[in-house]
Amino acid sequence: MRSTARWCAAAATVLAASGAWGQEAPQAQGDAPGAAGASIAGLAAALVPHEGGLTADRAAARAVRTSLAVRAAEANTEAAGATRTEAAVAMIPQIALSARYTRLSPITQPALNFGALSSGSSQPFCVDTNGGIVLGSRSAGGALSCPNGAGPIPGSSTPSTGSGSGFSFPVILDNIVFNGTVTVPLTDIPFRLARVYEAAGLTVEARRLDELSARAQVAADARVAFYEYVRASGQVMAAAQALESVQQHRADLARFVEAGTVARVDLLRVEAQVAESERLVLAAREGQSLAQAQLRQRIHAREGERFELGEALDGDLPVPGTANQLIDRALQSRPELQSLDRQTHALSANLAAARAGMFPSISGQFSVDVANPNQRFVPQTNDFNTTWSATIQAQWSPTGAFSANAAASRLAAQRAGLTAQLNQLREGTEIEVRGVWISAQTSRAAIESARRQVLSAEESYRVRRERFQAGSAVSSDLTDAELDLLRARLALVNANVDLRESLARLRRAVGEREPD
């Protein structure tokens, strides 16, 4: 029973350990079948690539296309673009148009007497084009004569003289005004608004880089799910082949028991071994079902959609470049680093804009009024008249200066925090790239070791089975050979998957961008 218990415990440990989840892995490129390539292909038909089947790159592209995280990142980019447009519009001279209608209540207009203006003289008065009172002349017959451009005072019922004749202005109850105003922030445009626009543009770049980072992460997760599904499929097939070997072992042993050459207790041990193998197959299938569900969720596949492998799992893949070369590439290309750099510069621009708010601002304004009646025309007439005004205004608020200083302090602290975060990410990137590069090199070496183990285990199993069938080997020897073969097959699958996951993590770490 000790050999059977040892086989069961060891097989369970191997199968469980081989299910460790990695990160992401790229599609195999330039696969060259190795010495044990036939061993992987012979492990299971499910691991043989099919034309048009699912590959890591196809899974990644499908995941990016349907990802909610990518959609959220794209929405953030659009929002940042709208903010930049707002900042650009703020630098354009502000144009304001208005139209106003007012109805006045009727009143009794008092009569105005200009007798006092001439100190009792009989000189008549006229109104010029600007609404001013001017002296006119009167002929011997009493006819009023006004200077050029002037006319009689409106509303006067008799010739107007300095002896007490008066008149009243007409009452206009309907007031209509059309106004157009152009305001130019003369100092705000170069010192504050231009900085805000610069910061908004840098923020747009940062959000686009965040979008690239989100795409890369989603693609990486999809590759993880794809290769873990491949790993789980390999575990199922390895466990099924182990079960088949144990069942053959049981059939051979049953014949020996019937012939009386082997004790029945050995058959009972193998029966327990068969039961344990069946349990391992069931556990492996449940793990495959979980991996399939995770893959389906990553790529948003339909329920019940079948997955066929479209890429080979065996074959040696080169590790691109040296560790130092990849570190330099990551520091230059990784979107997270570039995004933090853009955000830091954006905060610097916003900081300059905030500090500009501590100083006085100068603005210019030009306004045009078309009104009926126009208040600047005296006396008022029921006609549309146009007037304009130009203003230069300097404005400064002590309270606003204190507020701008506080905002500048806040932005400076945020910039310092982002700078520290950027430096921390750079340090972490260097360690990440170096660690993944070492893992890829180790996985390549593990593949060659696993190939040799498979060849050795297959040959050992063949020899021990022949010897067992010939009666020159005990049942426990065949049990050990079966365990060694299961372990070697799983190691070969895991080594190939681990290499692809290491290369994928390397791809993500150096900032390689996903195609659109």
Side-chain angles (χ1 to χ4, degrees), residues 287-304:
Q288 183 187 34
S289 176
L290 176 61
Q292 186 179 32
Q294 290 175 328
L295 175 59
R296 179 180 296 108
Q297 186 180 74
R298 293 295 183 188
I299 66 176
H300 298 89
R302 298 183 305 274
E303 187 67 28

Side-chain angles (χ1 to χ4, degrees), residues 394-420:
Q395 185 176 5
W396 182 74
S397 170
T399 305
F402 283 117
S403 177
N405 184 57
S409 299
R410 172 178 55 82
L411 292 172
Q414 291 178 350
R415 183 181 61 179
L418 272 183
T419 301

Side-chain angles (χ1 to χ4, degrees), residues 286-353:
E286 292 298 331
Q288 183 187 34
S289 176
L290 176 61
Q292 186 179 32
Q294 290 175 328
L295 175 59
R296 179 180 296 108
Q297 186 180 74
R298 293 295 183 188
I299 66 176
H300 298 89
R302 298 183 305 274
E303 187 67 28
E305 181 177 348
R306 296 185 58 187
F307 299 134
E308 290 185 344
L309 298 187
E311 66 177 80
L313 187 60
D314 57 348
D316 190 17
L317 298 179
V319 179
T322 65
N324 291 333
Q325 291 174 341
L326 294 173
I327 290 172
D328 293 339
R329 178 181 172 186
L331 294 178
Q332 294 294 328
S333 304
R334 189 151 181 176
E336 293 92 334
L337 294 173
Q338 295 179 351
S339 175
L340 286 177
D341 180 71
R342 301 298 191 280
Q343 293 178 51
T344 301
H345 285 83
L347 282 176
S348 297
N350 280 325
L351 178 59

Side-chain angles (χ1 to χ4, degrees), residues 200-488:
L202 290 168
T203 302
V204 171
E205 294 181 17
R207 294 296 171 262
R208 286 174 178 167
L209 291 166
D210 291 340
E211 182 181 338
L212 293 176
S213 178
R215 291 168 60 90
Q217 187 59 52
V218 168
D221 292 340
R223 289 188 173 94
V224 168
F226 173 78
Y227 279 109
E228 288 306 321
Y229 174 70
V230 173
R231 190 196 299 271
S233 299
Q235 292 173 5
V236 169
M237 296 303 107
Q241 288 187 341
L243 174 60
E244 182 181 356
S245 298
V246 174
Q247 289 174 340
Q248 292 177 352
H249 185 184
R250 179 184 59 182
D252 294 338
L253 197 59
R255 289 195 299 270
F256 294 152
V257 171
E258 291 180 1
T261 58
V262 176
R264 187 170 182 81
V265 65
D266 291 335
L267 180 59
L268 295 178
R269 292 172 183 171
V270 176
E271 290 285 356
Q273 184 178 336
V274 170
E276 179 63 17
S277 297
E278 292 173 346
R279 187 191 69 80
L280 292 177
V281 170
L282 178 61
R285 286 176 177 170
E286 292 298 331
Q288 183 187 34
S289 176
L290 176 61
Q292 186 179 32
Q294 290 175 328
L295 175 59
R296 179 180 296 108
Q297 186 180 74
R298 293 295 183 188
I299 66 176
H300 298 89
R302 298 183 305 274
E303 187 67 28
E305 181 177 348
R306 296 185 58 187
F307 299 134
E308 290 185 344
L309 298 187
E311 66 177 80
L313 187 60
D314 57 348
D316 190 17
L317 298 179
V319 179
T322 65
N324 291 333
Q325 291 174 341
L326 294 173
I327 290 172
D328 293 339
R329 178 181 172 186
L331 294 178
Q332 294 294 328
S333 304
R334 189 151 181 176
E336 293 92 334
L337 294 173
Q338 295 179 351
S339 175
L340 286 177
D341 180 71
R342 301 298 191 280
Q343 293 178 51
T344 301
H345 285 83
L347 282 176
S348 297
N350 280 325
L351 178 59
R355 287 173 176 169
M358 301 169 58
F359 302 97
S361 64
I362 300 176
S363 62
Q365 187 179 83
F366 182 81
S367 179
V368 176
D369 288 323
V370 178
N372 180 12
N374 193 311
Q375 300 297 325
R376 292 179 58 190
F377 282 81
V378 179
Q380 297 180 2
T381 61
N382 193 15
D383 298 306
F384 281 97
N385 293 287
T386 301
T387 56
W388 60 268
S389 64
T391 305
I392 296 292
Q393 176 179 330
Q395 185 176 5
W396 182 74
S397 170
T399 305
F402 283 117
S403 177
N405 184 57
S409 299
R410 172 178 55 82
L411 292 172
Q414 291 178 350
R415 183 181 61 179
L418 272 183
T419 301
Q421 185 178 352
L422 176 59
N423 293 331
Q424 183 181 14
L425 182 57
R426 283 174 177 166
E427 293 177 352
T429 298
E430 179 180 355
I431 298 301
E432 180 184 0
V433 172
R434 192 176 298 277
V436 175
W437 183 84
I438 293 174
S439 176
Q441 297 288 1
T442 304
S443 297
R444 288 192 66 195
I447 290 177
E448 182 61 28
S449 174
R451 286 172 176 170
R452 296 180 182 274
Q453 290 177 12
V454 169
L455 292 175
S456 175
E458 289 177 342
E459 181 64 17
S460 176
Y461 174 77
R462 184 188 65 79
V463 171
R464 293 190 184 187
R465 177 171 173 75
E466 290 178 354
R467 293 178 58 188
F468 175 75
Q469 290 177 336
S472 59
V474 296
S475 177
S476 59
D477 293 338
L478 186 56
T479 299
D480 293 339
E482 291 166 350
L483 177 59
D484 291 341
L485 183 57
L486 172 62
R487 183 186 293 113

Side-chain angles (χ1 to χ4, degrees), residues 2 8 12 27 44 65 96 102 121 150 156 167 198 218 237 280 315 334 350 367 391 470 486 489 501 504 509:
R2 281 185 296 179
C8 295
Q27 179 182 356
R65 187 172 60 253
T102 304
S121 66
S156 59
F167 76 94
E198 179 186 356
V218 168
M237 296 303 107
L280 292 177
R334 189 151 181 176
N350 280 325
S367 179
T391 305
L486 172 62
R489 286 169 172 170
E501 289 183 352

